[in-house]
Amino acid sequence: MAEHTRRTVLRGTAGLAAAGTLAGLGAGRAAALPAIGMTDRHFPFLEGAFAPVTEELTAFDLPVTGRIPRELNGRFLRNGPNVLGLEDPRAHHWMLGEGMVHGVRLRDGRAEWYRNRWVRSAQVAKKLGEAYPGPVPPEDFACNTHVIPFRGRILALQEGGPLPYELDGELGTSGTYDFAGSLEGAFTAHTKFDAYAGELHAVAYHATWDHVRHLVVDRAGRISRTTRIPVADAPMMHDFALTERHVVLFDVPVTFDAAAAGRGAPVPYTWNRSHPTRVGVMRRTGGPVRWFGIDPVFSSHTLNAYDEGDSVVVDLTTYPAPFHVAGRGSDGPSATGTAKLERWTVDLRHGRVRQRVLDDRPQEFPRVNESLVSRRHRYGYTAAAAELTAAYLAPDGGTPPDGAFSNALHKHDLLRGATQVHRLPRGAAAGEAVFVPRDAADHRAAEDDGYAIAYVHNPDRGAADLVVLAAQDFTGEPVARVHLPGRVPLGFHGSWIPDA
């Protein structure tokens, strides 16, 4: 396979996505989007709820409707793409925007501050007219997909190549992070932290590899074990699942396309009809992988997984085949249906996978009470954003399901098979909802004793609110709405980072 770096793989060899500079504009301001092509084309990932913001803001003592629970002491952070200095919108895709982390600091019933900051990769620093400290990593990118706490650190994450970037408590960028020199090669955006074992797990892929890597980060913060798992065609292994005993891999037919990269495709990962769809199960300690073939599907994000006798149970969101990750933002083709919540049960004794739809309403970004990662769970939380559905749903994708273009947050009771829906107004695009326990130290508390928090656009203000829902009164009025001074564009994933 030809040699490809982050620039050629995810931006295409044309290198058009973010070539502009910001000389003379001052820190925190991006160049205005040019008018090229905008009169006769729509660019879903640059418009509406996706439209990038152009300033870094800092605001203190934020106004609140309702009352912030006094036990919520920490930071709610969320990462997402926010393109900086775009020269040509035709070369842009949502996945390519430079990472911007949005954060709200809560303490003692107050919203102390809001900040949004670009992750300072070398290119971002250059565009902002700032110095970049130290040598530039070989595959540098302003990580835009997730932000997690890790042993007193805050890490912005990206899949497929770049090193994580470490942030400080006020969202400034400290530099790249390589787990005390123990990381070789790519990392992932979708880590799983097992609170019982004190281990951080990752499955990393790269366009140049003939394998993927299962990485285990130990209590000392170093990668203590790497298992290389052979795979064909360099698939996009966006997420995985973890149980108490197993690692679950999703080998789906979205693979690296060197020809598309050569043509300058913004996202050269395409649907590959000749690539089989498989679920792999491996012991957490390493060893051979058992592969199980299933009908073609795209696995999007894992809610959680657990062991049940001789089976492994995985709850996840999926898109029907074929799925095209570029979406309508690159002239399609895109999805042929909306994301839904499914349960896959891998029967290790009989060698088969049972797939069952749990909820067929459009939804994405599933989350669970993080203390239960790899253990049996009852509840899960998902988000529905109308503009996200519209950006991926193909015009000829058939009749969309009811509610396809609504905004809502969902709480799933997977024991009773019931779903509560917190409905949001038209134009109120909702981001991922993160569960925060009311008292993390109370191990006898109910699994849903806490809050679901998310950034939600407020169309009346033209800005975002941090919405705090009582998880046990999910359809009721929010406990609190923290009114932010600006928009939070639709983005990817985030975390609650409690005070130590």
Side-chain angles (χ1 to χ4, degrees):
M1 181 182 293
E3 185 68 21
H4 291 276
T5 66
R6 177 74 185 180
R7 181 178 302 276
T8 60
V9 169
L10 285 187
R11 294 174 185 256
T13 54
L16 296 173
T21 62
L22 295 177
L25 292 181
R29 293 185 178 271
L33 294 179
I36 180 171
M38 296 297 278
T39 57
D40 57 0
R41 273 192 59 184
H42 288 289
F43 298 89
F45 296 120
L46 292 171
E47 301 170 359
F50 293 97
V53 297
T54 59
E55 292 182 290
E56 292 183 328
L57 302 177
T58 303
F60 298 97
D61 294 323
L62 306 174
V64 178
T65 298
R67 299 182 65 182
I68 299 171
R70 296 186 66 85
E71 59 266 26
L72 289 180
N73 292 294
R75 296 165 175 81
F76 178 59
L77 308 183
R78 200 227 63 195
N79 202 350
N82 195 90
V83 66
L84 181 62
L86 182 67
E87 285 192 341
D88 186 350
R90 293 168 298 187
H92 177 68
H93 188 274
W94 193 29
M95 297 178 185
L96 304 180
E98 289 86 347
M100 175 177 274
V101 176
H102 299 259
V104 173
R105 171 62 155 117
L106 304 180
R107 180 156 50 191
D108 297 331
R110 295 173 50 241
E112 288 191 347
W113 54 251
Y114 162 79
R115 287 179 167 87
N116 63 318
R117 297 291 187 268
W118 274 288
V119 177
R120 259 51 172 191
S121 66
Q123 284 296 315
V124 168
K126 180 180 178 181
K127 292 177 183 182
L128 294 174
E130 300 173 0
Y132 181 82
V136 178
E139 294 194 51
D140 191 35
F141 187 72
C143 300
N144 70 14
T145 309
H146 207 344
V147 56
I148 65 167
F150 178 71
R151 304 203 177 283
R153 303 176 187 270
I154 300 172
L155 303 180
L157 302 180
Q158 185 79 23
E159 66 194 75
L163 290 174
Y165 266 96
E166 182 177 354
L167 309 179
D168 62 30
E170 295 185 345
L171 308 189
T173 303
S174 303
T176 56
Y177 186 72
D178 62 2
F179 299 92
S182 62
L183 176 62
E184 297 181 2
F187 200 59
T188 186
H190 290 290
T191 56
K192 312 294 180 193
F193 182 73
D194 183 338
Y196 293 85
E199 294 176 343
L200 184 73
H201 289 248
V203 172
Y205 71 90
H206 193 278
T208 65
W209 293 352
D210 60 0
H211 62 278
V212 296
R213 298 176 186 178
H214 171 233
L215 310 173
V216 181
V217 187
D218 62 20
R219 294 177 182 270
R222 296 180 59 86
I223 294 174
S224 60
R225 185 171 65 254
T226 299
T227 303
R228 298 191 177 198
I229 302 162
V231 293
D233 304 324
M236 175 182 280
M237 203 166 286
H238 184 63
D239 203 352
F240 73 106
L242 186 72
T243 75
E244 188 175 359
R245 302 195 304 267
H246 299 100
V247 177
V248 184
L249 308 169
F250 308 117
D251 184 7
V252 298
V254 174
T255 63
F256 178 67
D257 186 337
R263 293 192 301 268
V267 183
Y269 278 85
T270 59
W271 187 264
N272 182 350
R273 295 183 183 276
S274 65
H275 185 88
T277 307
R278 306 185 299 171
V279 180
V281 179
M282 182 183 74
R283 300 289 296 188
R284 273 176 56 156
T285 53
V289 178
R290 288 187 63 186
W291 291 104
F292 304 84
I294 60 173
D295 290 337
V297 68
F298 180 73
S299 62
S300 177
H301 295 105
T302 301
L303 190 154
N304 194 32
Y306 57 88
D307 297 306
E308 186 175 63
D310 291 326
S311 294
V312 174
V313 179
V314 185
D315 292 340
L316 72 169
T317 49
T318 68
Y319 286 88
F323 178 75
H324 302 276
V325 295
R328 295 176 63 199
S330 297
D331 284 338
S334 52
T336 55
T338 56
K340 57 185 176 293
L341 185 65
E342 293 194 357
R343 171 164 290 179
W344 293 1
T345 302
V346 185
D347 185 336
L348 299 176
R349 173 175 292 183
H350 298 99
R352 63 191 181 194
V353 180
R354 297 190 301 274
Q355 298 167 264
R356 178 164 63 95
V357 175
L358 299 175
D359 193 324
D360 65 356
R361 284 171 286 199
Q363 57 200 287
E364 255 287 12
F365 304 136
R367 296 297 293 259
V368 71
N369 182 329
E370 296 291 310
S371 69
L372 295 175
V373 168
S374 79
R375 267 63 175 179
R376 183 187 294 270
H377 60 280
R378 174 174 176 176
Y379 299 105
Y381 305 86
T382 58
E387 290 186 61
L388 177 60
T389 299
Y392 272 98
L393 189 62
D396 59 352
T399 303
D402 291 341
F405 300 107
S406 63
N407 299 299
L409 297 172
H410 299 158
K411 176 188 177 183
H412 300 281
D413 184 336
L414 300 167
L415 177 63
R416 295 184 176 179
T419 299
Q420 297 179 52
V421 181
H422 186 93
R423 303 189 186 280
L424 298 164
R426 181 182 179 88
E432 178 183 69
V434 174
F435 177 82
V436 182
R438 184 178 58 82
D439 181 359
D442 184 1
H443 301 298
R444 298 173 298 175
E447 179 183 332
D448 62 343
D449 185 6
Y451 307 94
I453 57 179
Y455 291 124
V456 178
H457 183 67
N458 186 327
D460 295 331
R461 296 195 309 112
D465 294 336
L466 176 62
V467 173
V468 181
L469 301 177
Q472 294 181 336
D473 184 23
F474 195 77
T475 61
E477 283 296 308
V479 173
R481 294 178 183 268
V482 180
H483 304 300
L484 309 188
R487 295 177 49 253
V488 176
L490 277 176
F492 296 133
H493 309 286
S495 299
W496 170 253
I497 302 179
D499 290 347

